[in-house]
Amino acid sequence: MTRFAERVRRWLRRPSQAEPPHPFDRANGVETSGLYYADRLLSGHAHDQHSEGYYATAPSLFHGAMSLWAQSLETGMGVEDYSFIDLGCGKGRVVLLASEYPFRAVRGIDLSADLIRVAGKNLRRWVRGGRAVCGDVRVERGDALEVGFPAGPVVLFLFNSF
């Protein structure tokens, strides 16, 4: 590899803190921004090879998807009848956004201990700020293939995680 190519590669892999935060982060005092290539998220798990890296879902995209989903609910069913699971939650932006809806429970699962640590900090700040409508919101480190699904209907969210 040439010196120039190596410098470009190092520049592309610089920490996300060098990037400006998303307006969502600035408005809410959280850290969900950044772009992490998969090679920066190695956890030692066999499924690391399936990671697509991390970048957060745009709030407008999430709320648009929620609107479409809500329109598809069967008569007599409401958001409160469902649990919400974000597989590959990263720093937890979708978990935070989902907690603004009255789900039975909201869960974020990610293989990366580093991302889950940030997601947990974000969630604590979010809940202390009174933003969560759902009273049962958690993030946890785990493998998407080993998630135990709660009884009842579930909304499963995936955004380019693997």
Side-chain angles (χ1 to χ4, degrees), residues 138-153:
R138 290 186 286 182
V139 294
E140 56 193 61
R141 183 171 185 235
D143 180 356
L145 294 178
E146 297 174 4
V147 172
F149 291 100

Side-chain angles (χ1 to χ4, degrees), residues 22-78:
H22 188 278
F24 175 84
D25 290 4
R26 285 194 305 270
N28 296 293
V30 295
E31 184 211 335
T32 64
S33 299
L35 170 63
Y36 292 86
Y37 292 98
D39 62 349
R40 287 190 58 207
L41 299 175
L42 300 176
S43 68
H45 194 284
H47 293 153
D48 282 344
Q49 65 182 326
H50 302 295
S51 174
E52 287 295 321
Y54 170 78
Y55 64 96
T57 302
S60 59
L61 178 73
F62 176 77
H63 290 302
M66 286 297 298
S67 176
L68 289 172
W69 170 73
Q71 292 172 29
S72 75
L73 291 177
E74 293 180 26
T75 303
M77 296 288 284

Side-chain angles (χ1 to χ4, degrees), residues 73-157:
L73 291 177
E74 293 180 26
T75 303
M77 296 288 284
V79 173
E80 62 281 353
D81 296 311
Y82 288 79
S83 294
F84 182 97
I85 300 175
D86 180 7
L87 295 179
C89 71
K91 294 181 178 182
R93 184 183 291 170
V94 163
V95 172
L96 303 179
L97 293 167
S99 78
E100 292 182 312
Y101 293 82
F103 287 106
R104 278 190 337 222
V106 174
R107 299 287 180 270
I109 312 293
D110 203 283
L111 203 52
S112 169
D114 292 337
L115 293 180
I116 284 295
R117 194 172 306 109
V118 174
K121 181 179 174 184
N122 288 332
L123 182 57
R124 286 187 294 280
R125 182 171 286 153
W126 187 263
V127 169
R128 274 195 312 267
R131 297 293 306 264
V133 171
C134 177
D136 184 7
V137 186
R138 290 186 286 182
V139 294
E140 56 193 61
R141 183 171 185 235
D143 180 356
L145 294 178
E146 297 174 4
V147 172
F149 291 100
V154 173
V155 174
L156 191 59
F157 188 86

